[in-house]
Amino acid sequence: MPNPEFSFFPGRDGVDLAYREVGEGRPLVLLHGFTGDAELWLRNGQAETIAARGYRVILPDFRGHGRSAKPHDAAAYPLDVLTDDGFALLEHLGLDDYDLGGYSLGARIVVRMLVRGATPGRAVVAGQGLRQVLGGEGAADSVLRRVFAGMGTFEPGSPEGRVEQWIRSSGSDPAALLHVWDSIVATPMEAVGRIEVPTLVVMGADDERVDSADQLAAALPRATQAVVPGDHWTAAAAPELAAAIVDFLAHG
């Protein structure tokens, strides 16, 4: 498994943001999920598998995550800042002919980039459905906010305790993550319906979002759909995910 070196680029506000690259060929930018980093695509060989098929896989760490800056000032996290950072990466690398994908929160940012004018050849939206894209966080939002507000006060094994353990085990910065969470914006249904980029919607068979993924695929004008083994957590590591991405990028 490759262990690529970190490179850095400035966000539009000058904040230092990290990224790594694997392979050579057509550029493919892959975005990770909330609390994670580029290791999502590296630790189980997903990036290596895709790179072996002729891709330059570019793996940024979101602001507030991984090796990117984690400022605690809320002003460093304006609405839709992760999308702004995505465009800053494209500008930094001079990419105008590329593909774009993401998992979980990364998939939502892919949609945000598309509705704000990104023009990849193809896009991959993995581990997210229409409800999440439209901003329907519901119980997940409530639990996360309770955890951020009460770190260290929850019973082990409780829903909040499990989320806190997940956040702490990732080595994340809770203050930065809360600002990131507050920066995420919804995408209106009419904007989703205007996306003309061919898009793969892929979801784990046991992910509770699977029905919402069906709805997202139906809402996108040029969607292809795939289902891979696993739930929201394990599907990200499934070799079938990398295979589905490669097949879609090659054949659509």
Side-chain angles (χ1 to χ4, degrees), residues 21-124:
E21 296 192 27
V22 180
E24 298 179 355
R26 179 172 175 80
L28 168 64
V29 178
L30 287 178
L31 308 178
H32 62 80
F34 189 63
T35 80
D37 56 26
E39 285 294 325
L40 171 78
W41 302 105
L42 291 166
R43 73 171 63 94
N44 296 296
Q46 308 283 39
E48 187 176 21
T49 296
I50 297 168
R53 299 295 293 271
Y55 290 91
R56 173 191 176 193
V57 184
I58 302 162
L59 307 166
D61 287 352
F62 283 142
R63 176 182 304 236
H65 294 72
R67 291 285 294 275
S68 289
K70 303 177 181 67
H72 284 189
D73 183 354
Y77 301 86
L79 290 177
D80 223 13
V81 69
L82 300 186
T83 305
D84 292 335
D85 291 341
F87 282 113
L89 176 62
L90 298 180
E91 293 158 6
H92 175 77
L93 296 174
L95 299 182
D96 55 16
D97 187 16
Y98 63 96
D99 297 313
L100 177 66
Y103 193 88
S104 195
L105 174 58
R108 286 185 66 177
I109 302 306
V110 168
V111 173
R112 293 299 307 152
M113 293 181 70
L114 293 175
V115 301
R116 286 185 50 189
T119 56
R122 296 185 185 278
V124 176

Side-chain angles (χ1 to χ4, degrees), residues 14-15 58 109 127 138 140-141 147 154 190 243:
V15 167
I58 302 162
I109 302 306
D141 180 76
V147 170
F154 304 108
E190 56 270 25

